[in-house]
Coordinates of all heavy atoms in Angstrom, one line a residue:
G214 N 117.4 92.2 111.9 CA 118.7 92.5 111.4 C 119.1 91.6 110.2 O 119.9 92.0 109.4
F215 N 118.6 90.4 110.2 CA 118.9 89.5 109.1 C 118.4 90.0 107.7 O 118.9 89.5 106.7 CB 118.3 88.1 109.4 CG 116.8 88.0 109.4 CD1 116.2 87.7 108.2 CD2 116.1 88.2 110.5 CE1 114.8 87.6 108.1 CE2 114.7 88.1 110.5 CZ 114.1 87.8 109.3
L216 N 117.5 91.0 107.7 CA 117.1 91.5 106.5 C 117.9 92.8 106.0 O 117.6 93.4 105.1 CB 115.6 91.9 106.6 CG 114.6 90.8 106.8 CD1 113.2 91.3 106.9 CD2 114.7 89.8 105.6
G217 N 118.9 93.1 106.8 CA 119.8 94.2 106.4 C 120.8 94.5 107.5 O 120.8 93.9 108.6
S218 N 121.7 95.4 107.2 CA 122.8 95.7 108.1 C 122.4 96.9 109.0 O 121.5 97.6 108.7 CB 124.1 96.0 107.3 OG 123.8 97.1 106.5
S219 N 123.2 97.0 110.1 CA 123.0 98.2 111.0 C 123.8 99.4 110.4 O 124.6 99.2 109.5 CB 123.5 97.8 112.4 OG 124.9 97.5 112.3
A220 N 123.5 100.5 111.0 CA 124.2 101.8 110.6 C 124.4 102.7 111.8 O 123.5 102.7 112.6 CB 123.4 102.5 109.5
P221 N 125.5 103.4 111.8 CA 125.6 104.4 112.9 C 124.8 105.6 112.6 O 124.8 106.1 111.5 CB 127.1 104.7 112.9 CG 127.5 104.4 111.5 CD 126.7 103.3 111.0
M222 N 124.2 106.2 113.6 CA 123.4 107.4 113.5 C 124.1 108.5 114.2 O 124.4 108.4 115.4 CB 122.0 107.2 114.0 CG 121.1 108.4 113.7 SD 119.3 108.1 114.0 CE 119.3 107.6 115.7
A223 N 124.3 109.6 113.5 CA 125.0 110.8 114.2 C 124.2 111.2 115.4 O 123.0 111.3 115.4 CB 125.1 111.9 113.2
A224 N 124.9 111.6 116.4 CA 124.3 111.9 117.7 C 124.1 113.4 117.8 O 124.9 114.2 117.3 CB 125.1 111.5 118.9
P225 N 123.0 113.9 118.5 CA 122.9 115.3 118.7 C 123.9 115.8 119.7 O 124.6 115.0 120.4 CB 121.5 115.4 119.3 CG 121.2 114.1 119.9 CD 121.9 113.1 119.0
P226 N 124.2 117.1 119.8 CA 125.2 117.6 120.7 C 125.1 117.1 122.1 O 124.0 117.1 122.7 CB 125.1 119.1 120.7 CG 124.4 119.4 119.4 CD 123.5 118.2 119.1
G227 N 126.2 116.6 122.7 CA 126.1 116.1 124.1 C 125.7 114.7 124.3 O 125.6 114.2 125.4
K228 N 125.4 114.0 123.2 CA 124.9 112.6 123.3 C 125.7 111.6 122.5 O 126.4 112.0 121.6 CB 123.4 112.5 122.9 CG 122.4 113.3 123.8 CD 121.0 113.0 123.3 CE 120.0 113.8 124.2 NZ 118.6 113.5 123.9
A229 N 125.7 110.4 123.0 CA 126.6 109.4 122.3 C 125.9 108.9 121.0 O 124.7 108.9 120.9 CB 126.8 108.2 123.2
A230 N 126.8 108.5 120.1 CA 126.2 107.9 118.8 C 125.5 106.6 119.1 O 125.8 105.9 120.1 CB 127.4 107.7 117.8
Q231 N 124.6 106.3 118.2 CA 123.8 105.1 118.4 C 123.8 104.2 117.1 O 123.8 104.7 116.0 CB 122.3 105.5 118.6 CG 121.3 104.3 118.8 CD 119.9 104.8 118.9 OE1 119.6 106.0 118.8 NE2 119.0 103.9 119.2
V232 N 123.9 102.9 117.3 CA 123.8 102.0 116.1 C 122.4 101.6 116.0 O 121.7 101.2 116.9 CB 124.7 100.7 116.4 CG1 124.5 99.7 115.3 CG2 126.2 101.1 116.5
V233 N 121.9 101.7 114.7 CA 120.4 101.5 114.5 C 120.2 100.5 113.3 O 121.1 100.4 112.5 CB 119.7 102.8 114.2 CG1 119.7 103.7 115.4 CG2 120.3 103.5 113.0
W234 N 119.1 99.9 113.3 CA 118.6 99.1 112.2 C 117.4 99.8 111.6 O 116.2 99.4 112.0 CB 118.3 97.7 112.6 CG 119.5 96.9 113.0 CD1 120.2 95.9 112.3 CD2 120.2 96.9 114.3 NE1 121.2 95.4 112.9 CE2 121.3 96.0 114.2 CE3 120.0 97.6 115.5 CZ2 122.2 95.7 115.3 CZ3 120.9 97.4 116.5 CH2 122.0 96.5 116.4
Y235 N 117.6 100.8 110.8 CA 116.4 101.6 110.4 C 115.5 100.9 109.5 O 114.3 101.3 109.4 CB 117.0 102.9 109.7 CG 116.3 104.1 110.3 CD1 116.7 104.6 111.5 CD2 115.3 104.8 109.7 CE1 116.2 105.7 112.1 CE2 114.7 105.9 110.2 CZ 115.1 106.4 111.4 OH 114.5 107.5 112.0
Q236 N 115.9 99.8 108.9 CA 115.0 99.1 108.0 C 113.8 98.5 108.9 O 112.7 98.2 108.3 CB 115.7 97.9 107.3 CG 116.3 96.8 108.2 CD 117.7 97.2 108.6 OE1 118.1 98.3 108.6 NE2 118.4 96.1 109.0
N237 N 114.1 98.3 110.2 CA 113.0 97.7 111.0 C 111.7 98.6 111.0 O 110.6 98.1 111.2 CB 113.5 97.7 112.5 CG 114.6 96.6 112.7 OD1 115.0 96.0 111.7 ND2 115.0 96.4 113.9
A238 N 111.9 99.9 110.8 CA 110.8 100.9 110.9 C 109.8 100.5 109.8 O 108.6 100.8 110.0 CB 111.3 102.3 110.7
A239 N 110.2 99.9 108.7 CA 109.3 99.5 107.7 C 109.0 98.0 107.7 O 107.8 97.6 107.6 CB 109.9 99.9 106.3
F240 N 110.0 97.2 107.9 CA 109.8 95.7 107.8 C 108.8 95.2 108.9 O 108.2 94.2 108.7 CB 111.1 95.0 107.8 CG 111.9 95.1 106.6 CD1 113.3 95.1 106.7 CD2 111.3 95.3 105.3 CE1 114.1 95.2 105.5 CE2 112.1 95.4 104.2 CZ 113.5 95.4 104.3
I241 N 108.7 95.9 110.0 CA 107.9 95.4 111.1 C 106.4 95.3 110.7 O 105.7 94.5 111.3 CB 108.1 96.4 112.3 CG1 107.4 95.8 113.6 CG2 107.5 97.7 112.0 CD1 108.1 94.5 114.1
Y242 N 106.0 96.1 109.7 CA 104.6 96.0 109.3 C 104.2 95.0 108.3 O 103.0 94.7 108.1 CB 104.2 97.4 108.8 CG 104.4 98.5 109.8 CD1 105.4 99.4 109.7 CD2 103.5 98.7 110.8 CE1 105.6 100.4 110.6 CE2 103.7 99.7 111.8 CZ 104.7 100.5 111.6 OH 104.9 101.5 112.6
V243 N 105.2 94.3 107.7 CA 105.0 93.4 106.6 C 104.1 92.2 107.1 O 103.1 91.9 106.4 CB 106.3 92.9 106.0 CG1 106.0 91.7 105.0 CG2 107.0 94.0 105.3
P244 N 104.4 91.5 108.2 CA 103.5 90.4 108.5 C 102.1 90.8 108.9 O 101.1 90.1 108.6 CB 104.2 89.8 109.7 CG 105.1 90.8 110.2 CD 105.5 91.6 109.1
F245 N 101.9 92.0 109.4 CA 100.6 92.5 109.8 C 99.8 92.8 108.5 O 98.6 92.6 108.4 CB 100.7 93.7 110.7 CG 101.3 93.4 112.0 CD1 102.6 93.7 112.3 CD2 100.6 92.8 113.0 CE1 103.2 93.4 113.5 CE2 101.1 92.5 114.3 CZ 102.5 92.8 114.5
I246 N 100.5 93.4 107.5 CA 99.8 93.7 106.2 C 99.3 92.4 105.6 O 98.2 92.3 105.1 CB 100.8 94.5 105.3 CG1 101.0 95.9 105.9 CG2 100.2 94.5 103.9 CD1 102.1 96.6 105.1
V247 N 100.1 91.4 105.6 CA 99.7 90.1 105.0 C 98.5 89.5 105.7 O 97.5 89.1 105.1 CB 100.9 89.1 105.0 CG1 100.4 87.7 104.6 CG2 102.1 89.6 104.2
V248 N 98.6 89.6 107.1 CA 97.4 89.1 107.9 C 96.2 89.9 107.5 O 95.1 89.3 107.4 CB 97.7 89.1 109.4 CG1 96.5 88.8 110.2 CG2 98.8 88.1 109.7
G249 N 96.3 91.2 107.5 CA 95.1 92.0 107.2 C 94.5 91.7 105.9 O 93.3 91.7 105.7
A250 N 95.3 91.5 104.8 CA 94.8 91.2 103.5 C 94.1 89.9 103.5 O 93.0 89.8 102.9 CB 96.0 91.2 102.5
V251 N 94.6 88.9 104.2 CA 94.0 87.6 104.2 C 92.7 87.7 105.0 O 91.6 87.1 104.5 CB 94.9 86.6 104.9 CG1 94.2 85.2 105.1 CG2 96.2 86.3 104.0
L252 N 92.6 88.4 106.1 CA 91.4 88.5 106.9 C 90.3 89.2 106.0 O 89.1 88.8 106.0 CB 91.6 89.3 108.1 CG 92.4 88.6 109.3 CD1 92.6 89.6 110.4 CD2 91.6 87.4 109.8
A253 N 90.7 90.3 105.3 CA 89.7 91.0 104.5 C 89.1 90.1 103.4 O 87.9 90.1 103.1 CB 90.3 92.2 103.9
W254 N 90.0 89.3 102.8 CA 89.6 88.5 101.6 C 88.7 87.3 102.1 O 87.7 86.9 101.4 CB 90.8 88.0 100.9 CG 90.4 87.2 99.6 CD1 90.3 85.9 99.4 CD2 90.0 87.8 98.4 NE1 89.9 85.6 98.1 CE2 89.7 86.8 97.5 CE3 89.9 89.2 97.9 CZ2 89.3 87.0 96.2 CZ3 89.5 89.4 96.6 CH2 89.2 88.4 95.8
T255 N 88.9 86.8 103.3 CA 88.2 85.6 103.7 C 87.0 85.9 104.6 O 86.1 85.1 104.7 CB 89.1 84.7 104.5 OG1 89.7 85.4 105.6 CG2 90.3 84.2 103.6
M256 N 86.9 87.1 105.2 CA 85.8 87.3 106.2 C 84.9 88.5 105.9 O 83.9 88.7 106.5 CB 86.5 87.6 107.6 CG 87.3 86.4 108.1 SD 87.9 86.6 109.8 CE 86.3 86.5 110.7
L257 N 85.2 89.3 104.9 CA 84.3 90.4 104.5 C 83.4 90.1 103.4 O 83.6 89.2 102.6 CB 85.2 91.6 104.1 CG 86.1 92.2 105.2 CD1 86.8 93.5 104.7 CD2 85.3 92.5 106.5
K258 N 82.3 90.8 103.4 CA 81.2 90.8 102.4 C 81.1 92.1 101.8 O 81.6 93.1 102.3 CB 79.9 90.2 102.9 CG 80.0 88.8 103.5 CD 80.3 87.8 102.5 CE 80.4 86.4 103.2 NZ 80.8 85.4 102.2
S259 N 80.3 92.2 100.7 CA 80.0 93.5 100.0 C 78.5 93.8 100.0 O 77.7 92.9 99.7 CB 80.6 93.5 98.6 OG 82.0 93.3 98.6
V260 N 78.2 95.1 100.2 CA 76.8 95.5 100.2 C 76.4 95.8 98.8 O 77.1 96.4 98.0 CB 76.6 96.8 101.1 CG1 75.2 97.3 101.0 CG2 77.0 96.4 102.5
P261 N 75.2 95.3 98.4 CA 74.7 95.6 97.0 C 74.2 97.0 96.8 O 73.0 97.3 96.5 CB 73.5 94.6 96.9 CG 73.0 94.5 98.3 CD 74.2 94.6 99.2
I262 N 75.1 97.9 96.9 CA 74.9 99.3 96.5 C 75.7 99.6 95.2 O 76.9 99.4 95.2 CB 75.3 100.3 97.6 CG1 74.4 100.1 98.8 CG2 75.3 101.7 97.1 CD1 74.8 101.0 100.0
K263 N 74.9 99.9 94.2 CA 75.6 100.0 92.8 C 75.4 101.5 92.3 O 74.3 102.0 92.4 CB 75.0 99.0 91.9 CG 75.2 97.6 92.2 CD 76.7 97.2 92.0 CE 76.9 95.7 92.1 NZ 78.3 95.4 91.9
A264 N 76.5 102.0 91.8 CA 76.5 103.3 91.1 C 77.8 103.4 90.3 O 78.9 103.1 90.8 CB 76.4 104.4 92.1
N265 N 77.7 103.8 89.0 CA 78.9 103.9 88.2 C 79.5 105.3 88.5 O 78.9 106.1 89.3 CB 78.6 103.8 86.7 CG 77.6 104.8 86.2 OD1 77.5 106.0 86.7 ND2 76.8 104.4 85.2
I266 N 80.6 105.6 87.9 CA 81.4 106.8 88.3 C 80.5 108.0 88.0 O 80.5 109.0 88.8 CB 82.7 106.8 87.5 CG1 83.6 105.7 88.0 CG2 83.4 108.2 87.7 CD1 84.9 105.6 87.3
R267 N 79.9 108.1 86.8 CA 79.1 109.2 86.4 C 78.0 109.5 87.4 O 77.7 110.6 87.8 CB 78.6 109.1 85.0 CG 77.8 110.2 84.5 CD 77.2 110.0 83.1 NE 76.4 111.1 82.6 CZ 75.8 111.1 81.5 NH1 75.9 110.1 80.6 NH2 75.1 112.2 81.1
Q268 N 77.3 108.4 87.8 CA 76.2 108.6 88.8 C 76.7 109.1 90.1 O 76.0 109.9 90.8 CB 75.5 107.2 88.9 CG 74.7 106.8 87.7 CD 74.3 105.4 87.7 OE1 74.9 104.5 88.4 NE2 73.2 105.0 87.0
Q269 N 77.9 108.7 90.5 CA 78.4 109.1 91.8 C 78.8 110.6 91.8 O 78.8 111.2 92.9 CB 79.6 108.3 92.2 CG 79.3 106.8 92.5 CD 80.6 106.1 92.9 OE1 81.1 106.4 94.0 NE2 81.0 105.1 92.2
F270 N 79.0 111.2 90.7 CA 79.3 112.6 90.6 C 78.2 113.5 90.8 O 78.3 114.8 90.8 CB 80.0 112.9 89.3 CG 81.4 112.4 89.2 CD1 82.1 112.6 88.0 CD2 82.1 111.8 90.2 CE1 83.5 112.2 87.9 CE2 83.4 111.4 90.2 CZ 84.1 111.6 89.0
D271 N 77.0 113.0 91.1 CA 75.8 113.9 91.4 C 76.0 114.6 92.7 O 75.3 115.6 93.0 CB 74.5 113.1 91.4 CG 74.4 112.0 92.5 OD1 75.4 111.8 93.2 OD2 73.4 111.4 92.6
I272 N 77.0 114.2 93.5 CA 77.2 114.9 94.8 C 77.6 116.3 94.6 O 77.4 117.2 95.4 CB 78.2 114.2 95.7 CG1 79.6 114.1 95.0 CG2 77.7 112.8 96.1 CD1 80.7 113.5 95.9
F273 N 78.3 116.6 93.4 CA 78.8 117.9 93.2 C 77.8 119.0 92.9 O 78.1 120.2 92.8 CB 79.9 117.9 92.1 CG 81.0 117.0 92.5 CD1 81.3 115.9 91.7 CD2 81.8 117.2 93.6 CE1 82.4 115.0 92.0 CE2 82.8 116.3 94.0 CZ 83.1 115.3 93.2
G274 N 76.5 118.5 92.6 CA 75.4 119.5 92.4 C 74.8 120.0 93.7 O 73.9 120.8 93.7
N275 N 75.2 119.4 94.9 CA 74.7 119.8 96.2 C 75.7 120.7 96.8 O 76.8 120.4 97.1 CB 74.5 118.5 97.0 CG 73.8 118.8 98.3 OD1 73.8 119.9 98.9 ND2 73.0 117.8 98.7
P276 N 75.2 122.0 97.2 CA 76.1 122.9 97.8 C 76.7 122.5 99.1 O 77.8 122.9 99.5 CB 75.2 124.2 98.0 CG 73.8 123.7 98.0 CD 73.8 122.5 97.0
D277 N 76.0 121.6 99.8 CA 76.6 121.1 101.1 C 77.8 120.3 100.9 O 78.7 120.2 101.8 CB 75.5 120.3 101.9 CG 74.5 121.2 102.5 OD1 74.8 122.1 103.3 OD2 73.3 121.1 102.0
T278 N 78.0 119.7 99.7 CA 79.3 119.0 99.4 C 80.4 119.9 99.6 O 81.5 119.6 100.2 CB 79.2 118.4 98.0 OG1 78.2 117.4 97.9 CG2 80.6 117.7 97.7
W279 N 80.3 121.1 99.1 CA 81.4 122.1 99.1 C 81.6 122.7 100.4 O 82.7 123.0 100.9 CB 81.1 123.2 98.0 CG 80.9 122.5 96.7 CD1 79.8 122.4 96.0 CD2 82.0 121.9 95.8 NE1 80.0 121.7 94.8 CE2 81.3 121.4 94.7 CE3 83.3 121.8 96.0 CZ2 82.0 120.8 93.7 CZ3 84.0 121.2 95.0 CH2 83.4 120.7 93.8
W280 N 80.5 123.0 101.1 CA 80.6 123.6 102.5 C 81.3 122.5 103.4 O 82.2 122.9 104.2 CB 79.3 124.0 103.1 CG 78.6 125.1 102.4 CD1 77.3 125.1 101.9 CD2 79.1 126.4 102.1 NE1 77.0 126.2 101.3 CE2 78.1 127.1 101.4 CE3 80.3 127.0 102.3 CZ2 78.2 128.4 100.9 CZ3 80.5 128.3 101.8 CH2 79.5 129.0 101.2
M281 N 80.9 121.3 103.3 CA 81.5 120.3 104.2 C 82.9 120.0 103.8 O 83.8 119.6 104.6 CB 80.7 119.0 104.1 CG 79.3 119.1 104.8 SD 79.3 119.7 106.5 CE 80.4 118.5 107.3
T282 N 83.3 120.2 102.5 CA 84.7 120.0 102.1 C 85.5 121.0 102.8 O 86.6 120.7 103.3 CB 84.8 120.2 100.6 OG1 84.0 119.2 99.9 CG2 86.3 120.0 100.2

Side-chain angles (χ1 to χ4, degrees):
F215 66 90
L216 293 177
S218 59
S219 62
M222 184 167 62
K228 295 186 179 181
Q231 179 186 5
V232 174
V233 295
W234 290 262
Y235 230 76
Q236 65 272 20
N237 293 3
F240 288 151
I241 190 66
Y242 299 104
V243 170
F245 297 100
I246 290 172
V247 173
V248 170
V251 171
L252 285 175
W254 187 258
T255 58
M256 299 186 69
L257 295 185
K258 300 295 180 181
S259 298
V260 173
I262 293 180
K263 294 289 187 178
N265 60 35
I266 294 177
R267 181 180 178 183
Q268 290 166 334
Q269 292 185 62
F270 282 177
D271 64 357
I272 62 174
F273 299 120
N275 190 327
D277 286 296
T278 297
W279 304 104
W280 296 127
M281 291 307 303
T282 299

